[in-house]
Amino acid sequence: ELNEKKHEETLKILNSLDLKKCVLIRGVSFDTKEETFRPLFEAFGPISQIFLVRNPNGKIAGFGAIEFETEE
């Protein structure tokens, strides 16, 4: 049930993203932290949110999305 709840939360977040403003990412290192990841993409514009998918153990699952403030 815990995995099902996490899966539902992940889907809810992914569905809330504005895909016109997003870059989907994969191949993310399992030990990546958002605070070290964010500066790599801020050069392309202001970021509204970063979503890194996590496995049931809380580790990065290797993919996610970056939503920028604008479509440019």
Side-chain angles (χ1 to χ4, degrees):
E1 184 170 307
L2 182 59
N3 287 341
E4 186 175 315
K5 185 176 180 181
K6 285 286 189 189
H7 179 71
E8 288 175 13
E9 289 174 13
T10 299
L11 288 177
K12 186 176 182 181
I13 292 169
L14 287 173
N15 287 330
S16 73
L17 297 173
D18 182 346
L19 295 180
K20 292 179 184 176
K21 298 178 184 178
C22 281
V23 174
L24 302 178
I25 50 175
R26 62 181 191 170
V28 178
S29 173
F30 298 113
D31 60 352
T32 298
K33 293 180 175 48
E34 183 178 327
E35 57 269 10
T36 57
F37 194 72
R38 179 178 286 273
L40 299 173
F41 289 89
E42 284 181 321
F44 300 102
I47 295 171
S48 55
Q49 66 178 319
I50 294 177
F51 178 65
L52 298 172
V53 177
R54 298 183 181 277
N55 67 23
N57 298 327
K59 299 265 185 185
I60 301 296
F63 63 99
I66 299 170
E67 183 179 55
F68 291 93
E69 292 180 9
T70 63
E71 293 180 27
E72 297 172 14

